[in-house]
Amino acid sequence: MNCKRAMEISAGGLSGSLNDSEKAELSGHLEECASCRKEAELLSKAWQALELYEAPALGDKFVDALMAKLRAGQAEEQASGFNPFALSPDTRAALAGWWKVPAMTLASFAVYVLCVETGLMPARQFSVPAARSSGSPLSNIFSEGPAAGGGNLLTMLEGADK
Amino acid sequence: MTEDPDQDARLMLRFIAGEESCFIELVKTHKQRVFAFAYRFLGNAADAEDAAQEVFIKVYNARNKYTVKAKFTTWLFTITRNTCLNFLAKRGHRGLFVPLDEKPEAQEDAPGLQLADPKDLPPAELLIRKEQAEAVKKALASLPENQRTAVLLCRYDELSYEAIAEVMGCSAKAVKSILHRAKLGLKEKLAELFQ
Ligand SMILES: [Zn+2]
């Protein structure tokens, strides 16, 4: 057995899973190798020393305090009154983000309209150019702007596209 | 720990069926282990007691998610570890290490605690033990979280590699490797105790 394997067994706490010949091999190595012997001894002492770190004992008050907290939680739920639309916690969690769906849809639509209006995206399927000619407030901002304004940019891009 | 491991599962099933006394029995059986894990993980008694309370409140509220397939203690320690991780996150950069000197103040905030009376030990020995305990606490606190969890579950709760793996969500082989590194780390940090 080499030093690496001896240390693996010592630090891995694997000595319990070794067969008799492996155990004999390990103790043989530790007997003749002072360095591994010292390491194994330190490993074992450090592991033993963990028992010095004791946790204090919990008394029965712990259970009383816990049950009081649980009762207070239940009382709070009951005090909020009977609600025929009351939802289970799982359903509440599932519905918690319901508003995100319409919000994201609206936001995406707003971004699309803005892109079309500013000329970052050519409008093909929607009749946005018609809306512009009819003088929607958004298109007015651009069509009344300087020569490099969004309306001109849109026309240039549309031209380049063709 | 309950002597019959299936006893926990039976109590849990009776609790799910509506017998609250079974929940109280489970709390009484496991409160010390849960608290001790949290105490060594978080490094102070007040936080550990709060965490232990939170663990059992979660057990109470999540009773319908318990399946007999999972061993009760494995499930309980998974909740305990996650709760302790949340406490650490909430605590942020305040860090883990609270010297043992601060223990009495912390325990005033933790009414559920009963301290073992240390008066039976001679003062010199008491001092040495306190210093050694402090060194162990520091060494544990300095380990990465996964190593600390594995050490606590292996050394103090005597969980199998497989059970630790289940709590930590990794393989038993990974647990062995984590423990190997943890032991080498502890040896380095505690070596001066044995000089
Ligand atoms: Zn060697």
Side-chain angles (χ1 to χ4, degrees):
Chain A
M1 184 175 287
N2 60 24
C3 295
K4 188 171 175 266
R5 179 70 186 142
M7 275 303 96
E8 263 171 19
I9 295 170
S10 302
L14 303 173
S15 45
S17 62
L18 297 177
N19 62 39
D20 287 346
S21 78
E22 284 170 320
K23 273 181 198 169
E25 219 182 315
L26 174 67
S27 62
H29 181 85
L30 294 182
E31 247 171 60
E32 62 195 33
C33 178
S35 147
C36 280
R37 193 165 58 241
K38 196 185 169 207
E39 288 296 293
E41 205 180 287
L42 284 176
L43 277 166
S44 158
K45 280 182 175 172
W47 196 242
Q48 283 298 312
L50 293 181
E51 75 185 12
L52 293 167
Y53 187 17
E54 288 171 282
L58 272 180
D60 284 338
K61 280 182 192 167
F62 177 86
V63 182
D64 297 339
L66 173 70
M67 294 318 287
K69 268 189 201 173
L70 286 167
R71 303 257 181 280
Q74 285 166 345
E76 210 172 284
E77 267 177 34
Q78 279 166 4
S80 64
F82 174 70
N83 178 1
F85 303 107
L87 300 168
S88 72
D90 285 348
T91 317
R92 272 202 302 274
L95 292 176
W98 69 271
W99 52 271
K100 287 177 189 163
V101 176
M104 286 303 288
T105 312
L106 274 174
S108 319
F109 185 69
V111 168
Y112 173 77
V113 168
L114 205 64
C115 287
V116 167
E117 287 291 336
T118 54
L120 290 171
M121 188 191 283
R124 290 249 165 91
Q125 279 129 358
F126 297 94
S127 53
V128 176
R132 193 166 61 241
S133 64
S134 74
S136 77
L138 244 182
S139 59
N140 285 346
I141 294 171
F142 296 111
S143 58
E144 283 164 20
N152 291 338
L153 189 61
L154 181 70
T155 319
M156 280 162 64
L157 281 172
E158 277 171 351
D161 224 22
K162 285 166 197 164
Chain B
M1 192 181 169
T2 322
E3 277 178 28
D4 171 11
D6 292 330
Q7 171 72 3
D8 292 329
R10 275 197 290 273
L11 284 170
M12 200 59 199
L13 290 176
R14 282 171 58 194
F15 167 49
I16 293 165
E19 283 184 66
E20 203 177 74
S21 61
C22 295
F23 171 73
I24 297 177
E25 206 175 322
L26 280 168
V27 174
K28 285 183 177 168
T29 306
H30 296 286
K31 66 179 171 34
Q32 185 59 37
R33 293 180 88 191
V34 169
F35 168 74
F37 178 93
Y39 176 73
R40 295 188 182 105
F41 191 98
L42 297 169
N44 81 81
D47 279 355
E49 188 168 359
D50 286 348
Q53 294 261 333
E54 211 173 298
V55 167
F56 288 110
I57 289 172
K58 282 179 184 168
V59 169
Y60 191 97
N61 292 329
R63 57 192 177 278
N64 295 327
K65 286 177 191 158
Y66 172 74
T67 52
V68 188
K69 264 193 298 185
K71 202 178 163 196
F72 178 77
T73 44
T74 311
W75 185 63
L76 184 65
F77 275 118
T78 308
I79 297 176
T80 306
R81 182 201 183 205
N82 289 338
T83 306
C84 287
L85 286 173
N86 287 343
F87 263 73
L88 272 194
K90 270 191 251 168
R91 202 195 278 176
H93 297 292
R94 230 175 75 202
L96 250 192
F97 183 67
V98 180
L100 292 182
D101 287 335
E102 289 181 23
K103 234 169 62 175
E105 289 83 10
Q107 277 155 2
E108 275 170 23
D109 301 333
L113 294 181
Q114 279 171 353
L115 269 182
D117 193 357
K119 280 177 205 149
D120 347 337
L121 285 171
E125 201 174 316
L126 198 68
L127 190 70
I128 292 169
R129 279 183 75 98
K130 200 180 158 191
E131 277 173 9
Q132 288 175 331
E134 186 96 13
V136 171
K137 183 179 183 170
K138 239 180 183 167
L140 269 176
S142 72
L143 293 179
E145 180 278 317
N146 63 345
Q147 292 184 22
R148 190 162 68 245
T149 298
V151 168
L152 296 186
L153 293 175
C154 176
R155 179 67 175 89
Y156 300 102
D157 291 296
E158 296 174 346
L159 258 62
S160 67
Y161 290 147
E162 287 73 21
I164 298 172
E166 215 173 303
V167 171
M168 297 181 65
C170 61
S171 66
K173 200 179 161 203
V175 169
K176 278 185 198 175
S177 145
I178 290 168
L179 277 170
H180 179 87
R181 274 176 279 138
K183 285 179 182 180
L184 292 176
L186 289 169
K187 184 205 74 181
E188 293 299 322
K189 276 148 192 149
L190 295 173
E192 62 183 37
L193 279 186
F194 316 116
Q195 301 301 321

